[in-house]
Amino acid sequence: MNVHEYQAKALLREFGVAVPGGELATTPQEAHAAAARLDAPVVVVKAQVHAGGRGKAGGIKLAKSAEEARDAAEQILGMTLRTKQTGESGKLVRKVYVEAGSEIARELYLAIVLDRAQEKFAIIASTEGGMEIEEVAEESPERIVTVPIDPNHGLQDHQVRQVAFGLGLDASQREQLQGFVAGLFRLFLEKDASLVEINPLVVTAGGDLFALDAKLNFDDNALFRHPDIAALHDPDEEDPRELEAKQIDLAYVGLDGNIGCMVNGAGLAMATLDMIDVCGGSPANFLDAGGGADKEKVKEAFKIILRDPEVKAILVNIFGGIVRCDLIAEGVVAAAGELGLEVPLVVRLQGTNAAEGRKILAESGLDITAAETLAEAGERAVAAARGEA
Amino acid sequence: MAILCDANTKLLVQGMGRMGRFHAGLSIEYGTQVVGGVAPGKGGQVLDDIPVFDTVRQAVAETGANASVIFVPPPGAADAIVEAADAGLALAACITEGIPTLDMARAKAVLRGSPLRLVGPNCPGVVTPEQCRIGIMPAAITRPGPVGVVSRSGTLTYEAVDQLSRLGIGQSTCLGIGGDPIIGTTFTDALALFEADPETLAVVMIGEIGGSAEEEAAEFVESEMSKPVAAFIAGQNAPPGKRMGHAGAIIAGGKGRASDKVAALEAAGVAVAHSPASIAETLAEHAPALLG
């Protein structure tokens, strides 16, 4: 789960990590008041959306007075921000963060991540703050310092020293970095973060360190033990269909094709998208209905799939292991009937009780194309979407 | 022979809830020796003819169990894994989906010094056809034979096994290694076990987007494997930055793309199926001796 910059900075403050003063505003008037309270020579007005690249897209503006901050907020609030990360459709800005500006001497990069390959945590730091770390890794990997941390030993002082020397910090800054990284690491562990990224980490003209931008990512699987983090979730930042699917325990990802998919199991669901592509078609979504796909679940899944106006056909692909295909078939028939399904439906049933399931589909009186193999399913769904079935 | 489990395996079930009991029943039906269950506070009871113990250690002492299948819910699952290791078991398959990554990172670090081999979590388990079923796989689709199957996914494993069985190619052992970012047995571990198993003549591996386990497996195939390997990578059209069902199936920071995995495997001499419908055919073409 992602959170906004303003939420990330509140958490950093809670864990003793230095951040500039700042306030959230949802109207130009609030931005004016916030800037006046901050009483800094320069403030920065920043669009709060879950996406990087905000500056280039016009979502971050400098202001030298409260009036200028109000004008900047006026321009940013309500705009649709299009960055590399948001794609064409962009994101509507509903909130801005007004933050005290600072004199920047150096911009650095610092992150704590889970290193999947090493099965450890790692501190990643670079002298190239403000750039995406992937870009630095590509262009000048020698400017990146990576220090692994054993999950059961925790953070050691010498590891932070290694980072500090790698960044070329002086004695006072090295001392500051110990507290800074210790706070980040405590946040990482105590809140089950999967990414804590400070980019840039700033060294001011006065030699102080603080976090100018912050990106926090939390492990969805651990939210059950962090109600405070779960409460930071902003539904406005998510695809409404993905949100709705999540509420009924379905994994859904919207795509830009026209064949709606309902599959049991994540791997088979990904493979079904691949199959459609191999057959020359284009999937409208990923949808993993999970193990127990009964009538109600099938119905809800169909509803979510059909909310996408591009959908010209639906492919149901079930490999019945423990799930019995005849029960799934009953669910599909009932759901299709109750919803008065108008797009062509291709159903592939395989595994436990598949023959019985196909019989139920054939005798339903509904216009359902049955398929036995994965290849047949793909071909028939693609033909149906083209209006050839 | 096979790998990981066979007719002599004595299995415990950690977590005797609805799911644990249901699948314990199916495993017993398949002929697996399920010797006990573990459910703290229910020690001394007998559920579905299975004696239940409070701790794994006690269960091992009284039954001689050497393996366990874990159905414990996410908050306590990592602890259950470490309990299995502390009790001296040789194998544990953890079915539980949704374990916090931090818990798994810590558990995995503990396992490095232990003889326990963990399969999963978030996996369907292990089946050695006609000998032993650990987990939730529909064992009826398997048949004994020379091909080892290893996969990050559940239902896609069934798809591959079904394709093999339809071509008349049986399996030595089928295992799902799980869809989480941190798992016990990796592709490389499984390939090493299959390479060392005299009854396995070829391997099918089914990967997916996210992480770099397939790339590491490709290196292993190139340097250490003598047996033919066929593969399929799911998620060739998955958009970056989106989690595709499994916690570990995500292209992040330009890493974990299917195309990179396919390229690495092909460079290592693995036959990669470009359609999920031709996984078994791809193996049969790569290793024609399998069809006799």
Side-chain angles (χ1 to χ4, degrees), chain B:
Chain B
M1 268 288 290
I3 66 165
L4 298 173
C5 65
D6 57 25
N8 298 317
T9 299
K10 290 185 173 175
L11 187 68
L12 291 178
V13 178
Q14 284 175 260
M16 288 288 282
R18 191 182 58 83
M19 180 93 161
R21 287 171 68 175
F22 176 71
H23 285 287
L26 292 182
S27 288
I28 291 169
E29 252 176 58
Y30 194 67
T32 310
Q33 298 185 55
V34 177
V35 296
V38 178
K42 290 188 186 166
Q45 296 183 22
V46 176
L47 295 170
D48 314 323
D49 294 331
I50 302 170
V52 178
F53 302 89
D54 286 320
T55 67
V56 178
R57 205 174 276 273
Q58 196 187 353
V60 169
E62 305 220 1
T63 66
N66 57 4
S68 124
V69 58
I70 298 172
F71 288 98
V72 175
D79 181 50
I81 290 168
V82 176
E83 185 182 0
D86 286 348
L89 292 176
L91 175 74
C94 182
I95 311 306
T96 312
E97 176 171 9
I99 302 178
T101 308
L102 218 67
D103 294 4
M104 267 318 295
R106 289 179 171 135
K108 189 72 194 284
V110 169
L111 293 189
R112 274 185 209 112
S114 121
L116 180 84
R117 170 165 296 286
L118 172 69
V119 175
N122 190 11
C123 84
V126 188
V127 171
T128 291
E130 293 183 0
Q131 294 195 53
C132 182
R133 173 187 183 272
I134 299 177
I136 60 171
M137 274 200 240
I141 60 169
T142 67
R143 49 187 282 178
V147 176
V149 178
V150 54
S151 168
R152 273 168 76 182
S153 139
T155 43
L156 192 50
T157 312
Y158 314 159
E159 175 71 41
V161 168
D162 188 57
Q163 284 180 23
L164 286 170
S165 293
R166 278 164 195 269
L167 280 187
I169 302 173
Q171 303 88 38
S172 54
T173 298
C174 306
L175 74 147
I177 55 174
D180 276 359
I182 294 187
I183 52 175
T185 297
T186 63
F187 277 126
T188 304
D189 297 333
L191 289 172
L193 292 171
F194 281 131
E195 175 69 16
D197 171 35
E199 286 182 6
T200 299
L201 303 182
V203 180
V204 168
M205 67 171 268
I206 298 169
E208 63 192 32
I209 56 163
S212 57
E214 291 81 0
E215 285 88 334
E216 286 145 28
E219 278 177 35
F220 180 82
V221 170
E222 186 153 32
S223 61
E224 308 286 337
M225 291 254 333
S226 63
K227 298 174 183 179
V229 180
F232 175 72
I233 304 296
Q236 309 193 23
N237 301 288
K242 291 281 184 184
R243 213 169 283 283
M244 305 298 272
H246 287 151
I250 181 165
I251 300 171
K255 286 189 191 146
R257 278 188 293 251
S259 54
D260 295 339
K261 296 174 185 294
V262 170
L265 289 165
E266 285 183 335
V270 173
V272 181
H274 290 272
S275 161
S278 57
I279 299 169
E281 279 169 38
T282 303
L283 178 71
E285 278 168 27
H286 189 51
L290 293 174
L291 289 173

Side-chain angles (χ1 to χ4, degrees), chain A residues 20-191:
Chain A
E23 288 184 30
L24 186 71
T26 55
T27 64
Q29 292 69 31
E30 283 177 22
H32 182 279
R37 273 193 296 270
L38 284 170
D39 191 29
V42 178
V43 297
V44 191
V45 181
K46 301 162 113 176
Q48 297 297 293
V49 292
H50 290 182
R54 292 170 299 169
K56 277 185 201 151
I60 298 180
K61 292 189 189 301
L62 290 178
K64 289 186 177 143
S65 65
E67 288 69 35
E68 279 186 34
R70 182 190 57 209
D71 295 348
E74 180 97 56
Q75 287 170 39
I76 296 173
L77 286 166
M79 79 185 282
T80 300
L81 209 61
R82 288 183 188 82
T83 80
K84 220 161 78 183
Q85 289 181 17
T86 65
E88 268 305 291
S89 55
K91 276 193 169 160
L92 179 67
V93 182
R94 293 178 168 88
K95 296 173 253 209
V96 292
Y97 189 55
V98 183
E99 189 172 65
S102 36
E103 268 186 89
I104 298 169
R106 293 184 73 196
E107 293 191 32
L108 309 169
Y109 175 96
L110 183 72
I112 300 177
V113 301
L114 170 80
D115 182 339
R116 281 172 70 162
Q118 301 297 321
E119 297 172 334
K120 288 180 174 177
F121 310 131
I123 306 176
I124 299 175
S126 141
T127 50
E128 308 303 292
M131 274 174 79
E132 279 182 44
I133 193 72
E134 291 83 13
E135 239 174 278
V136 183
E138 193 102 331
E139 287 165 15
S140 40
E142 73 284 356
R143 297 198 175 148
I144 297 178
V145 189
T146 305
V147 181
I149 306 171
D150 186 290
N152 288 342
H153 294 167
L155 183 70
Q156 312 292 317
D157 286 354
H158 72 86
Q159 294 167 330
V160 183
R161 271 202 305 278
Q162 196 183 333
V163 172
F165 282 108
L167 292 174
L169 300 183
D170 68 22
S172 139
Q173 292 157 9
R174 289 200 297 273
E175 185 62 36
Q176 286 184 55
L177 193 72
Q178 289 287 354
F180 196 97
V181 176
L184 291 181
F185 191 70
R186 221 158 39 80
L187 165 61
F188 185 87
L189 289 187
E190 283 180 23
K191 301 296 182 189

Side-chain angles (χ1 to χ4, degrees), chain A residues 241-255:
Chain A
R241 287 169 298 171
E242 289 177 23
L243 201 63
E244 196 184 334
K246 208 181 282 176
Q247 277 156 4
I248 50 168
D249 220 14
L250 298 171
Y252 174 99
V253 177
L255 303 168

